[in-house]
Amino acid sequence: MTVAKVLVVGGGITGTVAAIALAQRGIKVTLAEKSSKYFGVGHGITIQGNALKALAQIGVAEQVLAKGVPFDSVSVRHADGHELVRVQTAKTGGEELPSTMGTLRSDLQTILVGKLHESGVDLRLGLSLTGFTEGPDNIDAHLSDGSTETFDLIIGADGIRSHTRTLIGITENPAPSGMGIWRVVTGRTPAMDTAAVYYHGPAYKAGYAPISETQCYAYILTDPAGGKEDGWTDAETVRKLAENYRGTWDYLRDSITEATFVNFSPIEWLLVEGPWHKGRIIMIGDAVHACPPLVAQGAAMCTEDAVLLADYATRDGDLEANLTAFEARRKPRVKLVLDASLQMAEWEIHPDAEGDPAGLMADTLTKLAAPA
């Protein structure tokens, strides 16, 4: 085995899954998370079949499925509420798993944290990586508490704003997609049992996905400014943006109050096409490839990275060769998702342009049904 002691930097989905997968292979893992609290953010998340497959590899897929709502189709609707078509979603995780599911990020993170503790990972909150010194057979990690510890490998999984990425000299930075997203967690009716997307309205797109027996995750895609006027609260902004979406959106709009979880962020993307590693530090997940959510593959690309790196890093042979092979395997797949996501974003922004979003989505997901 090429590594025995690993530091994972970043306690989001990517870092947590990587830490669990490594620990399950007998590696001594330390997970450093800069936040003093360890929890997932409150909005919903779509987890497609290939992400569930990765979660099954670390033994948490059944728990995740029990918390959320699985579904195998998407209802494509006009802004006036009527259904245009219902599209079956490719089973990217295999026939034994649902095509897609919705859940709360906080529920997913709670399950992962439980598995993390069960796996014996040394979790350290309020800690970050400030520098490193590499030797021929190991690497010293300089940590924010003033200490220095020696590891065989450091994994940077600290997200799209990664500090670790800058430490190893990667110069690419996140780029704007031209879009922003309002996210809402609110109630749902029993009939809202699958995802739905609404076109031909005032925003680029609106939609929702069920995430529990009583809740759904709803969203509206806008320009990067978000459409908020002076004096409007976040809840008022979403209600106003949703005014011309009908059908189920009438129920959603009326359910949004000042107590509802509402969040806005511009949508950015990132792809590091050069090396993801330098010596004994390697970057994974959103730190090197962050996709706009148009294909809903963000969680899948990150969890696939995590479980596959745990495999490659623990193989016999030369670590440099193993890390290079890992990157060569992952880059075409994440580029497939990113290219499709950016093309779909372009079509959303320019709806009069010729394009086939449904066809591109179907083709991309069909290709992702191949092994990661």
Side-chain angles (χ1 to χ4, degrees):
M1 190 177 295
T2 53
V3 301
K5 187 179 181 183
V6 175
L7 172 66
V8 178
V9 181
I13 293 171
T14 310
T16 308
V17 172
I20 294 166
L22 285 162
Q24 290 175 338
R25 290 172 174 270
I27 305 302
K28 184 177 181 181
V29 183
T30 298
L31 175 58
E33 164 53 43
K34 68 179 181 180
S35 175
S36 60
K37 297 180 180 179
Y38 202 35
F39 53 84
V41 294
H43 64 74
I45 184 172
T46 300
I47 304 176
Q48 293 195 353
N50 49 326
L52 287 168
K53 183 177 180 179
L55 294 173
Q57 290 177 269
I58 62 166
V60 298
E62 288 188 6
Q63 288 175 268
V64 173
L65 283 165
K67 269 290 186 182
V69 180
F71 47 90
D72 292 321
S73 65
V74 176
S75 176
V76 180
R77 295 178 175 269
H78 190 278
D80 65 14
H82 82 272
E83 186 173 74
L84 301 171
V85 65
R86 185 165 292 235
V87 180
Q88 294 299 121
T89 310
K91 286 184 171 289
T92 55
E95 291 300 317
E96 69 280 5
L97 291 169
S99 298
T100 316
M101 68 166 292
T103 192
L104 275 170
R105 282 180 176 267
S106 53
D107 285 344
L108 173 60
Q109 189 73 354
T110 296
I111 292 167
L112 290 174
V113 171
K115 196 68 172 181
L116 187 85
H117 290 304
E118 179 187 312
S119 302
V121 172
D122 177 15
L123 172 63
R124 307 207 197 153
L125 299 178
L127 188 68
S128 57
L129 180 71
T130 59
F132 64 92
T133 303
E134 186 159 0
D137 300 314
N138 50 44
I139 186 167
D140 288 338
H142 309 307
L143 303 169
S144 58
D145 62 0
S147 65
T148 296
E149 292 189 42
T150 301
F151 297 91
D152 300 313
L153 178 68
I154 297 174
I155 298 172
D158 45 346
I160 194 170
R161 303 287 176 204
S162 171
H163 177 62
T164 310
R165 183 176 68 233
T166 64
L167 286 178
I168 67 171
I170 295 175
T171 58
E172 286 97 332
N173 289 310
S177 69
M179 307 179 81
I181 185 168
W182 285 99
R183 297 179 172 98
V184 179
V185 174
T186 188
R188 75 172 179 94
T189 67
M192 297 163 64
D193 58 357
T194 191
V197 292
Y198 291 69
Y199 290 99
H200 310 299
Y204 294 139
K205 182 169 68 177
Y208 65 81
I211 57 174
S212 75
E213 289 185 1
T214 59
Q215 293 176 298
C216 80
Y217 157 52
Y219 59 87
I220 299 177
L221 293 177
T222 69
D223 63 53
K228 186 175 182 179
E229 300 286 347
D230 290 343
W232 290 3
T233 66
D234 287 351
E236 286 174 327
T237 301
V238 175
R239 287 197 298 267
K240 289 179 183 297
L241 289 171
E243 278 181 347
N244 292 315
Y245 290 97
R246 316 304 301 181
T248 304
W249 263 100
D250 289 328
Y251 170 84
L252 292 172
R253 185 176 52 255
D254 291 344
S255 74
I256 298 169
T257 71
E258 296 305 319
T260 302
F261 175 91
V262 179
N263 166 269
F264 175 79
S265 61
I267 298 172
E268 297 179 306
W269 66 273
L270 173 71
L271 179 63
V272 174
E273 299 201 41
W276 294 355
H277 76 283
K278 178 181 180 181
R280 290 178 175 267
I281 299 184
I282 186 166
M283 310 300 304
I284 60 171
D286 285 349
V288 281
H289 55 78
C291 299
L294 280 298
V295 188
Q297 274 284 313
M301 293 300 100
C302 289
T303 52
E304 285 182 357
D305 271 7
V307 296
L308 278 169
L309 180 58
D311 173 17
Y312 276 83
T314 56
R315 292 181 179 184
D316 292 334
D318 178 66
L319 179 61
E320 172 68 22
N322 290 348
L323 298 183
T324 300
F326 164 78
E327 291 182 25
R329 179 169 174 177
R330 291 300 296 156
K331 284 180 178 178
R333 191 168 171 96
V334 299
K335 191 174 189 306
L336 169 73
V337 172
L338 182 63
D339 287 349
S341 300
L342 292 175
Q343 179 61 78
M344 291 183 70
E346 184 68 14
W347 286 335
E348 300 282 6
I349 295 168
H350 302 103
D352 293 333
E354 289 188 16
D356 181 13
L360 179 58
M361 172 78 91
D363 179 64
T364 303
L365 294 180
T366 298
K367 291 175 180 175
L368 291 172

